[in-house]
Amino acid sequence: MSTSEALAEPNRQVRARWILGAVVVNVVINVAFFAPINILIGLQATGIDPANKEAILTLVTACGAGVALVANPVTGALSDRTTSSWGRRSPWILGGAVLGTAAMLFLSGATTIAALVIGWCLVQAGCNAMYSTITAAVPDRVPVAQRATVGGLAAMGQTIGILGGSVVGFVISGNVAVGYWICAAALALGVIPYLTHRNDPVLPAGHHPRFRLGTFLRGFWINPVQHPDFGWAWLTRFLMFVGNQLVIVYLLFFLTDVIHHPNPAAGVLVLTGLYAVMVVITSVIAGRWSDRVGKRKVFVAGASAVIACAALIMAFFQVWPAAMVGAAVLGIGFGAYLAVDFALLTQVLPSAAARGKDMGVVNIAAALPQVIAPALALLAVKFLGGYVALFVLAAIIGLAAAVLVYRIKSVP
């Protein structure tokens, strides 16, 4: 393909087969993320040191998120420069799957904190290479008028992956190794549908100037003064993911220590299932509705407010039935949010030639909360009043995001 074909704004709707492949990649990435985060690492942390399980989980997830902060934008930027006959994005999706699969197999035998940290960092490196490039493929191939619809289907795939992670945690009956083997198999097989129908334009050699490290690194700074809408979109996404992460990061421990659920792993599965059903419904509906009316901000702000309500339910009604209601409300809000906010973000990217890098910078807004939220959660639970303080903090952050999205001017 010519340079213009590789970098031009897409104007032809993508077909169902391409969308299905992209959705499946999102599914397996999120299985690989959330089976360990929600269940497997927590079980391993408990086995290593029950008295300090929260601190171990916080350390492991924070280190992995630190790797994600680097891997996501760097692999996105490198994919922008890739001139493979497979296209710009596909080689990185394949390579990330290989690394993530190997890391999962390593984690299956991890029995020390150091091994958990190393293994989880490798998983984050591989899966974020996949995530940055499958995300960049959307503005590469999907026209603006179809993006919220595709974003909703991608959000559905993410949620199915989160639910799949909880299913893995439930069915393994405490056998952590089996859980990691299932995740490894999912990663290895899940990229096949996309790679066999990838429709990934080839960038001709020589399009980009010669690689210089200093120039490459400086490119990650996107000046919010020069690109204010991108800056506000990044900030509101960051706040929303902090709030969401605060709600879910200690879910297993919340069910164990506060709700006193007789089977916390099963409880996580039930709550995740309710959440997933609502996300699947609202992500598809809100995505298509947003594309139809051509508006983004009202959907994003409304969804942010709904997520804040879910956190308040969890804060002040700490019983099992209320937890189920809170999970359902959270799913309603987050499904609509994921679909429409993704479309909004693709419309404020600074450069068509650097979509992978720019979407990688966007993805930092989702990865950085994995570092910050566990630390905030530990502070809230241990020193600021327990789980009430934790969930109230999540609600405040969500409401702030709902207000700030209206600072974006170029998108209706």
Side-chain angles (χ1 to χ4, degrees):
M1 288 189 175
S2 69
T3 301
S4 60
E5 289 174 308
L7 301 179
E9 187 70 20
N11 54 25
R12 289 181 296 179
Q13 290 199 343
V14 289
R15 298 187 178 187
R17 176 173 280 184
W18 187 92
I19 297 173
L20 176 63
V23 168
V24 172
V25 172
N26 275 284
V27 169
V28 298
I29 290 171
N30 283 278
V31 168
F33 280 149
F34 286 96
I37 288 175
N38 285 353
I39 300 292
L40 301 179
I41 296 174
L43 291 176
Q44 288 171 299
T46 301
I48 292 170
D49 186 354
N52 294 296
K53 59 189 178 184
E54 295 94 344
I56 294 173
L57 178 61
T58 297
L59 173 65
V60 173
T61 55
C63 289
V67 170
L69 290 176
V70 177
N72 202 300
V74 168
T75 54
L78 291 174
S79 74
D80 286 333
R81 304 177 62 91
T82 298
T83 57
S84 164
S85 60
W86 268 38
R88 293 188 293 169
R89 316 302 182 190
S90 300
W92 294 92
I93 293 172
L94 176 60
V98 171
L99 177 58
T101 298
M104 285 290 180
L105 296 176
F106 173 79
L107 276 172
S108 69
T111 57
T112 66
I113 296 174
L116 282 178
V117 169
I118 292 170
W120 186 238
C121 286
L122 291 174
V123 169
Q124 287 281 2
C127 289
N128 273 280
M130 297 172 66
Y131 187 61
S132 67
T133 45
I134 195 65
T135 301
V138 175
D140 281 350
R141 306 311 308 143
V142 182
V144 168
Q146 195 185 10
R147 283 186 194 167
T149 299
V150 173
L153 294 171
M156 179 186 70
Q158 292 170 12
T159 305
I160 292 172
I162 294 170
L163 177 60
S166 296
V167 170
V168 169
F170 177 71
V171 302
I172 63 172
S173 300
N175 191 327
V176 171
V178 172
Y180 282 117
W181 297 341
I182 294 172
C183 293
L187 275 179
L189 298 175
V191 296
I192 294 175
Y194 179 81
L195 294 178
T196 52
H197 299 283
R198 56 192 178 275
N199 189 23
D200 192 351
V202 175
L203 182 70
H207 173 75
H208 283 280
R210 183 178 177 182
F211 181 87
R212 296 183 184 277
L213 182 60
T215 303
F216 179 77
L217 294 177
R218 285 192 295 272
F220 291 105
W221 169 246
I222 300 174
N223 192 326
V225 176
Q226 296 177 352
H227 305 283
D229 283 354
F230 182 86
W232 286 116
W234 190 98
L235 178 60
T236 56
R237 189 172 183 83
F238 167 76
L239 291 174
M240 280 305 307
F241 273 82
V242 169
N244 186 70
Q245 189 72 15
L246 286 174
V247 174
I248 67 173
V249 66
Y250 285 165
L251 187 58
L252 180 67
F253 302 147
F254 176 67
L255 295 182
T256 302
D257 301 332
V258 178
I259 300 296
H260 303 296
H261 195 283
N263 188 340
V268 170
L269 176 60
V270 171
L271 296 184
T272 308
L274 288 170
Y275 168 89
V277 169
M278 293 298 104
V279 168
V280 167
I281 294 171
T282 59
S283 63
V284 174
I285 292 174
R288 292 187 176 182
W289 190 4
S290 175
D291 278 343
R292 187 175 297 117
V293 302
K295 294 184 181 296
R296 309 298 192 203
K297 289 186 292 192
V298 65
F299 289 92
V300 172
S304 302
V306 171
I307 292 169
C309 290
L312 292 175
I313 291 170
M314 302 286 279
F316 296 111
F317 302 94
Q318 294 185 344
V319 293
W320 175 243
M324 291 191 290
V325 173
V329 174
L330 183 66
I332 291 170
F334 211 60
Y337 176 83
L338 287 173
V340 183
D341 187 65
F342 178 83
L344 185 154
L345 284 161
T346 66
Q347 291 177 240
V348 297
L349 297 180
S351 169
R355 291 184 185 118
K357 182 264 292 179
D358 293 341
M359 288 304 296
V361 173
V362 165
N363 291 336
I364 291 175
L368 187 58
Q370 296 179 46
V371 178
I372 294 174
L376 288 176
L378 185 64
L379 179 66
V381 170
K382 292 292 187 181
F383 304 107
L384 298 180
Y387 285 92
V388 172
L390 174 66
F391 295 131
V392 168
L393 179 61
I396 292 171
I397 292 171
L399 290 174
V403 173
L404 292 176
V405 73
Y406 282 100
R407 299 300 298 269
I408 298 169
K409 304 302 183 184
S410 63
V411 179

